[in-house]
Amino acid sequence: MSLTSELFLVRDDGDLDILTGERDGRPDGMDLAGPESWRRTVWGSRAIRRLGARFLPALVCVHNGDVVAPDEIPAFLTEIALVRAYSEHLAIETRPPDRTVESHRHHISCRLDGIEASARYALGAGGGLLIW
């Protein structure tokens, strides 16, 4: 199972309209946020918490996913830039035994690319992001 990032718009009645792959116009694969295990081993790791991240670590505590509200998207993009700047360190601390540091860093970078693209798309659409 994989974590995905889905765009949402807030309807007039306050409910969320989740825009999945075929409805949001993003290229295939840009919604991938990493394997389910990353909820705790990467995005919820002590290494990422030490950076001061708050959105990605929330994935470990929230059973149904983490919602980044439309007005929080700019702060979320800042967090992604912070995590990207320390991706080598994050890869060293969270590397699974069957992967090299470089391979793991690349995997983290690719997932950050997709999450960032989703967040930027949400920003442009006036929506938010749901990672689950």
Side-chain angles (χ1 to χ4, degrees), residues 34-132:
E36 175 66 29
S37 63
W38 280 26
R39 183 181 297 277
R40 59 181 167 40
T41 62
V42 177
W43 305 137
S45 69
R46 288 184 182 157
I48 205 166
R49 290 171 191 274
R50 280 193 300 271
L51 295 176
R54 69 178 181 101
F55 294 103
L56 291 169
L59 289 170
V60 78
C61 301
V62 181
H63 179 69
N64 292 325
D66 187 30
V67 174
V68 181
D71 63 335
E72 295 176 314
I73 294 291
F76 184 61
L77 287 167
T78 298
E79 180 170 300
I80 290 170
L82 173 70
V83 172
R84 190 179 301 282
Y86 289 93
S87 64
E88 180 77 18
H89 179 72
L90 184 61
I92 290 167
E93 289 200 37
T94 64
R95 179 184 65 85
D98 64 338
R99 186 173 283 163
T100 66
V101 170
E102 181 54 32
S103 171
H104 189 50
R105 190 206 57 75
H106 176 73
H107 199 87
I108 290 169
S109 180
C110 288
R111 295 304 147 234
L112 284 173
D113 288 348
I115 295 169
E116 181 178 12
S118 295
R120 289 193 184 287
Y121 192 91
L123 182 66
L129 199 61
L130 174 63
I131 302 174
W132 54 358

Side-chain angles (χ1 to χ4, degrees), residues 8-24:
F8 69 84
L9 300 174
V10 181
R11 297 191 314 226
D12 290 339
D13 64 5
D15 283 342
L16 303 182
D17 186 13
I18 299 173
L19 306 176
T20 57
E22 66 276 357
R23 293 182 55 207
D24 65 23

